[in-house]
Every structure is written in structure tokens, then in C-alpha cells.
């Protein structure tokens, strides 16, 4: 595999000791029964990393002189991404991830879990919270926000959210090569939980999922963009499950109580796949009791034998007296 000289520079710089601020401790930061608002905010365009050397972008963020080297790499990736973008449809992976994430969190948290609309956040406000000139500007403003840097989204301005914790998921999509130089569909999310009344970060985590079964090249994806879209949509549900599981474990969420099951309904006989309509069913009289045949058994015995009648004497013929 071709190696860029930049890797040699990175290897030397990585040998130096770098101090990274530890993430906040989220244990117990979301109280039992507390309202949780979920917002999944998507990048305005794909992030296409075609060169394996460009995967050094993440490593360069923590290095001395990293800003300069990172800028060179990111500008090159951004130019390629904009070149590919017209070939791709305008997918809504954010909707698929958000629906699955809310369903998973409702099972993991005993408090209300709401969308931004259910929480009363106006669509215009949500749009302003995700404004960016292109995907590179979006990544710099939202995806790589650090814990010591103020959030670009100030939730404390909305007093109606003061009691809640806001879970924002910054969703990026595109392509990235692996160690075998395969161009793999990648769906990644930088998730952060904030206390709404102060916009203080409570939890932060990044999740990345790639389709390792893909063998399609960048040129083939450009010719048939639906293949990329379908593969990225297939990653939406498992990505949402990983985000929910990570938050539930790190914050120590209390699961919602199981639903109360009602008594089972009496069995219904279905005719041709449908239940009978009781309101239109004809009234049927109950079957008449069966007729009882006269008994041929002998009469029950009594205390004494029945009285016997003497047979009547034969009638004597009348004889006239003789003279």
C-alpha cells in the first residue's frame, strides 16, 4: 500500500507526550424521571475520504503543528466531497437514526423522551443550530466540539428546556478507505448530552460504523449512488442502538417499567381471516331441550304387593222355569 511522507512526520510527532483533557463523568448526570430531548443533526453533505493517507486527520488534531497539517488534508477531502455530492441523492439518515434512538431510549430511561418538535423547539431554531456553509465548516463547528469549548448551540436561551437534558447527535455520512484500500460506506456520530439550563456538557462519545461487506469502488458509487444510500440507511439502526447503549451505560439510566398487560380477550373465531360482526349477526334461539321418551322401565317397588283383583265370574245364562 502506498505511504505518504506525511505518515513519517506523524509517527515522530506521536512519540511526544500529549495531554488530553479527560471527558466529563456522566454517571448520575441524568436524573430518574428527567426529561430527555433528542436531536439528530446531519451534515449538509457527504464526507468522502478517498485517500488512505487522509485517515491521519483524526490523529493530527492532537499534534503540535496539527492545525496546519489538518487544514491541508481537510481542504483536499472537502473539495472531493463537493465534487461527488451532485451525484448523490439528498438522504435523511438523521430521521432514521433519530426514530430508532428515541425508541431505544424510551426503553432505557424512565423519564419522558421527546423529539425537538415535542419539546417545543421551532423548526427555524433547529435549522439555525445546524447552519454551516459546507460539510467542512459543519465538521469544524459541530462534529469536533471539545468539552472545554463553549457549545455553538446555546440551549439556555430557551427557558422551556431548563428542566431537561438535551442529547444532540451530529451525524456524518460518506466513504472512507480501510487498511486494504477498500472504499467503505461510513456513518459516524459525535453525540453529546448537555444540561439545558446551563449548556454544560455532561457526556460525549463518538461512534463509527462502516459496511465491511462492500466491495464497490468510488467510481461505481458515483455511477449508482443508490447503492451507497441503501448501505448507509442499513447502518442507521445499529448506530442508533450503539449510541443509546453507550448513554444508558455511562449515565446509569434507569430502565422504564414494563408495560402492564391487560387480561387476555376471549378467543374469537375468525371466518375467512376476519372476525364476525356481532352487531349484524342474526339472533339465534337456543336449541330446545330434547323430548323425553316415556319410560319402559317397570314401576318402582312399593312396601307391599299390589292388590290382586278377583276375576269376574262368568255370566250365567238365564233359564226359564219348567212347568
Amino acid at each position: 500500500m502506498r505511504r505518504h511522507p506525511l505518515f513519517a512526520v506523524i509517527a515522530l510527532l506521536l512519540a511526544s507526550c500529549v495531554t488530553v483533557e479527560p471527558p466529563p463523568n456522566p454517571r448520575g448526570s441524568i436524573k430518574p424521571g428527567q426529561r430527555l430531548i433528542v436531536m439528530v443533526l446531519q451534515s449538509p453533505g457527504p464526507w468522502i475520504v478517498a485517500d488512505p493517507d487522509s485517515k491521519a486527520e483524526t490523529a493530527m488534531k492532537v499534534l503540535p503543528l496539527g492545525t496546519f497539517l489538518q487544514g491541508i488534508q481537510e481542504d483536499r477531502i472537502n473539495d472531493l466531497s463537493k465534487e461527488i455530492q451532485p451525484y448523490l441523492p439528498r438522504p435523511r439518515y438523521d430521521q432514521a437514526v433519530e426514530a430508532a434512538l428515541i425508541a431505544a431510549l424510551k426503553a432505557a430511561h424512565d423519564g419522558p423522551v421527546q423529539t425537538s418538535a415535542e419539546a417545543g423547539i421551532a423548526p427555524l431554531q433547529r435549522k439555525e443550530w445546524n447552519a454551516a456553509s459546507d460539510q467542512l465548516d459543519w465538521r469544524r463547528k459541530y462534529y469536533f466540539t471539545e468539552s472545554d469549548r463553549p457549545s455553538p448551540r446555546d440551549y439556555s436561551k430557551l427557558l422551556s428546556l431548563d428542566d431537561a437534558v438535551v442529547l444532540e447527535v451530529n451525524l456524518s455520512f460518506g466513504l472512507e478507505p480501510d487498511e486494504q484500500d477498500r472504499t467503505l460506506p461510513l456513518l459516524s456520530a459525535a453525540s453529546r448530552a448537555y444540561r439545558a439550563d446551563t449548556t454544560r456538557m455532561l457526556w460525549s462519545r463518538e461512534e463509527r460504523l462502516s459496511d465491511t461487506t462492500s466491495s464497490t469502488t468510488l467510481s461505481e458509487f458515483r455511477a449508482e449512488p443508490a447503492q451507497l444510500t441503501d448501505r448507509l440507511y442499513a447502518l442507521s439502526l445499529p448506530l442508533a442502538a450503539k449510541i443509546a447503549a453507550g448513554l444508558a451505560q455511562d449515565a446509569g439510566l434507569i430502565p422504564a417499567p414494563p408495560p402492564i398487560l391487560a387480561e387476555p380477550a376471549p378467543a374469537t373465531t375468525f371466518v375467512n381471516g376476519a372476525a364476525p360482526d356481532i352487531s349484524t349477526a342474526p339472533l339465534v334461539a337456543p336449541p330446545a331441550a330434547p323430548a323425553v321418551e316415556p319410560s319402559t322401565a317397570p314401576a318402582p317397588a312399593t312396601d307391599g304387593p299390589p292388590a290382586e283383583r278377583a276375576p269376574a265370574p262368568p255370566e250365567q245364562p238365564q233359564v226359564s222355569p219348567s212347568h
Side-chain angles (χ1 to χ4, degrees):
M1 180 174 66
R2 181 177 63 86
R3 291 290 182 181
H4 196 277
L6 180 60
F7 274 100
V9 178
I10 294 172
L12 292 175
L13 293 176
L14 280 174
S16 61
C17 180
V18 179
T19 302
V20 180
E21 182 179 352
N25 183 8
R27 177 65 59 173
S29 58
I30 302 177
K31 307 302 180 184
Q34 189 171 16
R35 184 162 60 123
L36 186 61
I37 302 170
V38 178
M39 289 195 307
V40 180
L41 303 158
Q42 181 172 296
S43 168
W47 192 244
I48 308 296
V49 183
D51 190 344
D53 296 347
S54 299
K55 295 182 67 177
E57 170 197 351
T58 303
M60 288 189 299
K61 289 183 61 62
V62 298
L63 300 176
L65 303 178
T67 302
F68 173 73
L69 298 175
Q70 177 184 347
I72 296 176
Q73 291 284 357
E74 288 182 337
D75 288 338
R76 186 156 59 93
I77 296 172
N78 197 43
D79 290 341
L80 177 61
S81 301
K82 288 182 177 181
E83 179 185 341
I84 301 297
Q85 186 168 353
Y87 296 91
L88 301 178
R90 298 183 64 87
R92 298 308 305 267
Y93 309 116
D94 53 345
Q95 294 180 354
V97 172
E98 185 171 287
L101 181 57
I102 288 177
L105 288 175
K106 283 184 176 180
H109 180 49
D110 64 347
V113 181
Q114 299 177 331
T115 65
S116 58
E118 293 170 340
I121 300 175
L124 180 59
Q125 177 65 79
R126 180 183 172 116
K127 183 178 181 181
E128 291 177 357
W129 278 342
N130 204 42
S133 59
D134 56 21
Q135 43 266 57
L136 177 56
D137 181 41
W138 180 87
R139 291 173 71 84
R140 289 173 173 173
K141 289 173 64 176
Y142 305 115
Y143 196 90
F144 291 117
T145 300
E146 304 297 338
S147 59
D148 59 345
R149 173 184 165 190
S151 171
R153 305 177 180 119
D154 190 357
Y155 302 113
S156 64
K157 292 183 177 180
L158 297 182
L159 299 181
S160 61
L161 308 182
D162 279 358
D163 65 307
V165 170
V166 178
L167 173 63
E168 64 172 43
V169 178
N170 302 282
L171 189 66
S172 176
F173 63 97
L175 294 167
E176 184 174 289
D178 65 354
E179 290 75 8
Q180 288 79 35
D181 288 350
R182 298 181 303 171
T183 305
L184 303 181
L186 175 70
L187 200 62
S188 62
S191 304
R192 288 178 284 272
Y194 291 93
R195 180 173 169 174
D197 58 349
T198 61
T199 317
R200 183 173 70 89
M201 186 187 299
L202 305 173
W203 176 77
S204 177
R205 187 167 181 147
E206 182 181 2
E207 299 287 359
R208 297 160 57 88
L209 279 182
S210 60
D211 184 357
T212 57
T213 65
S214 174
S215 59
T216 309
T217 64
L218 178 60
S219 300
E220 292 171 337
F221 278 133
R222 185 184 305 188
E224 299 183 53
Q227 291 192 33
L228 175 60
T229 303
D230 292 344
R231 290 180 179 273
L232 290 174
Y233 269 120
L235 298 174
S236 299
L237 268 64
L239 180 65
K242 290 190 68 175
I243 297 171
L247 179 61
Q249 179 180 357
D250 295 344
L253 297 183
I254 299 176
I260 300 176
L261 300 178
E263 291 294 331
T268 304
T269 302
F270 289 82
V271 180
N272 293 330
D277 188 354
I278 301 177
S279 62
T280 59
L283 297 178
V284 180
V292 179
E293 295 292 337
S295 175
T296 57
T302 59
D303 293 340
E308 294 183 359
R309 296 177 59 186
E315 186 178 354
Q316 298 295 328
Q318 295 182 358
V319 178
S320 300
S322 61
H323 296 280

